[in-house]
């Protein structure tokens, strides 16, 4: 039977753990709200960018080649996977699911005879992936978005990817991130960035009315200033930044959502544990008192 | 109203402006252009400068943009700007300090790429200053 003192210390330690987890939950909830607002604010830009690129790409389609970012390098040998995770742990399955997805994808590609390179955004993905894919990891970008995630962070990541692309280090690039669905559910999403794949159908973002695209809108013959090629050359790298920015924002919101849920569970579990331990403690105390009484009474009877 | 154009100004961080206006003047790379309702479809890159929103014959908003793209069609004018802020929010001293820092960085920059990036930033800062001086 555990001693009373050891029980007391355990109860206290679980109590302070509960304090920490519940504080973390509050913090995550506050951050989640901000992250969500930020993600929502970034949506219009990404949507319009997509629409514009779509019409540009359509008007260029049929023409030869186009910029390498649009047409690709013509091979599909080397894949770059950008894994977006968080820098900190204690957020449930958030990083684990990213790592699992990346690992499966990388294995599949390796079996097919492709070369796989992984760029980790966030420390956690690297920590998990380096166990069995260490030689595939080409770089890590961490401490991103501190104190607050901004567009320039995304631009930095995009610059790095572009440099690698121009140096011919990969042919296809995709980004894997947790898309924010709700505070308790995040969806691992795999999005191809290079070559640019026009979205099949843009689903309207939550809380926003579906965009009414006037008929004939996309078919309108645009005038270009300067010409298509130059605009496209300007727009494609920018689109890359925007897509990465969106991935980072979604991932950021997901991280806080995941942490909030995880910490909520932890707080509840700690509460249960405290109840159990307290019951145990009281029983033990009662048992000791009873034992002492019996000793006294039987001693008195013996006299 | 038929003679209004839906103007939207978006930056990656937020939607700055979205309303029907009479006319917008956008600084295109090949010169400023005014957009009225019924404008011919056009896609143009935007140089750093000021977007002017005209209503009832007066300028109601002046917004600084640091480059981007504009898409125009008969009903709508959408500007995707990298950085956008109302001219009134630009702080002269801050920009001047920034410009000085950038010049220092440029002198210290080693690679060609760094220099290009800094040069682009300097152009933006300079056009910011220019934007303020046209107001005062």
């Amino acid at each position: 039977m555990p001693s009373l003192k050891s029980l007391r210390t355990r109860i206290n330690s679980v109590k302070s753990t509960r304090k920490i987890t519940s504080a973390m939950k509050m913090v995550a909830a506050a951050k989640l709200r901000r992250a969500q607002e930020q993600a929502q604010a970034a949506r219009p830009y990404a949507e319009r960018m997509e629409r514009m690129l779509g019409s540009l790409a359509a008007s260029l389609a049929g023409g030869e080649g186009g910029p390498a970012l649009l047409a690709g390098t013509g091979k599909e040998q080397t894949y770059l996977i950008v894994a977006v995770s968080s820098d900190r742990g204690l957020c449930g399955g958030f990083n684990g699911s990213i790592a699992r997805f990346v690992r499966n994808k990388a294995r599949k590609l390796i079996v097919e005879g492709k070369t796989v390179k992984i760029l980790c955004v966030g420390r956690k993905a690297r920590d998990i992936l380096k166990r069995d894919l260490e030689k595939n990891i080409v770089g890590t970008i961490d401490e991103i978005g501190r104190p607050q995630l901004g567009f320039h962070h995304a631009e930095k990541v995009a610059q790095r990817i572009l440099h690698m692309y121009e140096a011919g280090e990969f042919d296809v690039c995709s980004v894997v991130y947790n898309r924010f669905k709700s505070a308790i559910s995040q969806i691992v999403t795999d999005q191809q960035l290079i070559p640019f794949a026009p979205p099949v159908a843009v689903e309207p973002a939550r809380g926003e009315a579906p965009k009414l695209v006037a008929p004939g809108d996309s078919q309108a013959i645009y005038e270009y200033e300067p010409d298509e090629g130059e605009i496209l050359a300007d727009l494609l790298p920018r689109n890359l930044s925007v897509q990465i920015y969106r991935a980072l924002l979604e991932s950021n919101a997901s991280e806080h959502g995941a942490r909030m849920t995880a910490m909520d569970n932890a707080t509840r579990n700690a509460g249960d544990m405290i109840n159990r331990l307290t019951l145990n403690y009281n029983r033990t105390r009662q048992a000791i008192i009873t034992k002492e009484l019996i000793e006294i009474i039987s001693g008195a009877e013996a006299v | 109203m038929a003679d209004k154009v839906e103007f939207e100004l978006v930056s990656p961080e937020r939607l700055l402006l979205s309303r029907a206006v009479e006319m917008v003047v956008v600084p295109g790379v090949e010169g400023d252009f005014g957009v009225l309702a019924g404008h011919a479809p056009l896609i143009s890159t935007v140089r750093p400068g000021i977007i002017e929103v005209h209503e009832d014959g007066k300028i109601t908003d002046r917004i600084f943009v640091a480059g981007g793209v504009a898409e125009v069609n008969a009903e709508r004018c959408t500007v995707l700007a990298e950085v956008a802020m109302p001219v009134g929010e630009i702080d002269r001293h801050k920009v001047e300090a920034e410009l000085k820092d950038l010049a220092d960085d440029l002198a210290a920059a080693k690679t060609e790429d760094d220099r290009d990036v800094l040069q682009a930033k300097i152009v933006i800062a300079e056009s910011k200053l220019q934007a303020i001086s046209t107001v005062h």
Side-chain angles (χ1 to χ4, degrees):
Chain A
M1 199 196 279
S3 76
L4 276 186
K5 188 167 168 3
S6 76
L7 269 175
R8 232 177 0 241
T9 20
R10 268 200 79 191
I11 290 175
N12 278 333
S13 90
V14 177
K15 267 188 184 156
S16 42
T17 310
R18 182 173 65 173
K19 265 185 214 149
I20 294 171
T21 56
S22 84
M24 277 180 83
K25 181 193 147 196
M26 306 285 197
V27 173
K31 283 190 177 164
L32 169 67
R33 228 191 39 155
R34 211 170 332 132
Q36 227 177 324
E37 275 167 14
Q38 218 187 345
Q40 222 132 42
R43 271 186 184 136
Y45 190 88
E47 268 168 27
R48 285 167 184 72
M49 179 70 100
E50 243 162 21
R51 201 177 59 198
M52 209 184 276
L53 262 179
S55 65
L56 261 170
S59 85
L60 263 183
E64 54 22 274
L69 282 175
L70 184 65
T73 51
K75 314 178 278 194
E76 285 188 359
Q77 183 49 42
T78 313
Y79 281 75
L80 178 75
I81 304 174
V82 182
V84 184
S85 67
S86 68
D87 279 332
R88 311 213 174 146
L90 291 181
C91 42
F94 177 79
N95 293 311
S97 52
I98 286 285
R100 192 170 343 114
F101 186 90
V102 171
R103 196 181 297 136
N104 289 345
K105 187 173 166 166
R107 285 218 182 108
K108 214 173 106 214
L109 288 168
I110 290 170
V111 166
E112 285 171 21
K114 316 274 192 203
T115 319
V116 177
K117 290 178 176 173
I118 300 171
L119 178 67
C120 299
V121 177
R123 201 181 304 134
K124 281 287 162 191
R126 187 203 51 197
D127 288 352
I128 304 173
L129 288 172
K130 93 177 161 199
R131 251 174 252 152
D132 47 355
L133 291 166
E134 186 161 25
K135 53 184 187 307
N136 296 79
I137 296 178
V138 290
T140 313
I141 302 170
D142 51 17
E143 287 297 316
I144 203 164
R146 308 234 174 272
Q148 177 146 32
L149 188 65
F151 189 57
H152 56 276
H153 291 113
E155 269 179 331
K156 233 166 50 195
V157 181
Q159 280 302 333
R160 182 149 174 190
I161 295 174
L162 278 177
H163 279 310
M164 287 175 71
Y165 190 61
E166 277 158 15
E169 287 179 39
F170 64 90
D171 306 310
V172 181
C173 171
S174 60
V175 58
V176 179
Y177 64 95
N178 272 305
R179 195 159 53 102
F180 183 81
K181 193 171 164 223
S182 70
I184 45 167
S185 132
Q186 298 84 33
I187 304 159
V188 177
T189 313
D190 182 9
Q191 189 189 1
Q192 181 166 326
L193 294 177
I194 302 173
F196 170 70
V200 187
V202 183
E203 54 179 307
R206 223 157 24 92
E208 248 180 81
K211 283 271 154 352
L212 288 175
V213 179
D217 194 46
S218 55
Q219 281 92 15
I221 300 152
Y222 281 97
E223 230 176 272
Y224 296 97
E225 201 178 291
D227 54 75
E228 286 111 313
E230 252 177 82
I231 293 181
L232 212 50
D234 183 54
L235 217 52
L236 283 169
R238 199 170 296 165
N239 181 56
L240 186 68
S241 311
V242 171
Q243 297 306 334
I244 289 173
Y245 184 53
R246 176 150 70 165
L248 290 179
L249 284 176
E250 292 275 344
S251 167
N252 192 21
S254 304
E255 178 194 339
H256 294 310
R259 178 164 301 130
M260 194 176 98
T261 325
M263 286 302 118
D264 189 38
N265 281 335
T267 310
R268 207 163 325 123
N269 288 344
D272 289 349
M273 198 165 189
I274 289 169
N275 284 344
R276 260 202 324 273
L277 285 173
T278 318
L279 188 68
N280 207 337
Y281 172 79
N282 287 341
R283 258 197 209 135
T284 315
R285 193 175 51 106
Q286 196 59 57
I288 290 172
I289 293 169
T290 318
K291 206 176 90 196
E292 275 173 3
L293 272 179
I294 290 170
E295 272 166 14
I296 292 166
I297 292 166
S298 51
E301 270 174 2
V303 170
Chain B
M1 265 189 275
D3 54 350
K4 289 222 167 182
V5 51
E6 284 292 331
F7 176 60
E8 276 181 345
L9 177 62
V10 242
S11 79
E13 267 132 27
R14 62 191 167 133
L15 181 69
L16 271 108
L17 208 66
S18 174
R19 61 165 201 260
V21 298
E22 212 167 285
M23 178 171 90
V24 257
V25 178
V26 181
V29 257
E30 298 182 349
D32 292 8
F33 56 88
V35 180
L36 289 161
H39 195 284
L42 166 81
I43 292 181
S44 167
T45 36
V46 175
R47 68 182 155 78
I50 300 175
I51 292 184
E52 286 173 349
V53 180
H54 291 251
E55 260 168 305
D56 304 323
K58 281 192 300 258
I59 296 177
T60 50
D61 283 289
R62 297 163 58 85
I63 301 144
F64 174 81
V65 287
V69 217
E71 181 194 21
V72 181
N73 60 28
E75 306 94 43
R76 216 178 11 228
C77 172
T78 313
V79 177
L80 302 182
E82 269 165 53
V83 179
M85 56 165 86
V87 171
E89 279 176 25
I90 302 177
D91 183 341
R92 174 183 284 276
H93 299 292
K94 239 192 223 161
V95 179
E96 272 166 0
E98 193 192 329
L99 202 57
K100 215 166 140 256
D101 286 351
L102 285 173
D104 291 345
D105 288 350
L106 187 66
K110 288 193 181 67
T111 64
E112 196 63 36
D113 289 339
D114 285 354
R115 231 166 285 152
D116 285 350
V117 172
L118 287 169
Q119 203 77 55
K121 278 188 185 159
I122 288 179
V123 171
I124 291 171
E126 272 170 355
S127 47
K128 253 187 210 172
L129 277 184
Q130 221 172 359
I132 319 176
S133 53
T134 54
V135 178
H136 300 301

